[in-house]
Amino acid sequence: MGRAKASAGEVRSQLVIAYDQGYLNEEDFSETSDLADKVSRQLYKLIQHLERSDDPGHIRELPVEYITD
């Protein structure tokens, strides 16, 4: 999980470079950066949940809320 979170951070860094080099316009950068941030936060929360779990081998299913635009 730590590797996945580090990879998400690397994606965010690469997005900044792509934007600075002119490969992404401001709108695409903003949308993609927001998604990368969201993934990073989700990974962080999952890691925290797994570390706090009473039984590390058991993952509890939480209710899922789907948001569609």
Side-chain angles (χ1 to χ4, degrees):
M1 287 305 208
R3 287 184 186 169
K5 185 151 179 0
S7 293
E10 185 177 347
V11 167
R12 293 190 339 251
S13 296
Q14 293 295 326
L15 284 170
V16 171
I17 292 168
Y19 176 69
D20 287 346
Q21 294 295 314
Y23 291 105
L24 293 173
N25 62 39
E26 189 171 345
E27 181 182 351
D28 290 340
F29 170 74
S30 180
E31 289 177 16
T32 309
S33 181
D34 288 347
L35 288 172
D37 286 341
K38 181 179 179 181
V39 168
S40 185
R41 287 190 309 271
Q42 288 174 331
L43 285 168
Y44 174 78
K45 288 179 183 179
L46 178 59
I47 291 167
Q48 293 299 310
H49 168 74
L50 293 174
E51 288 175 350
R52 287 189 301 248
S53 176
D54 292 337
D55 179 8
H58 175 72
I59 297 176
R60 173 179 79 201
E61 290 190 34
L62 302 174
V64 178
E65 179 181 329
Y66 292 99
I67 300 172
T68 58
D69 295 325

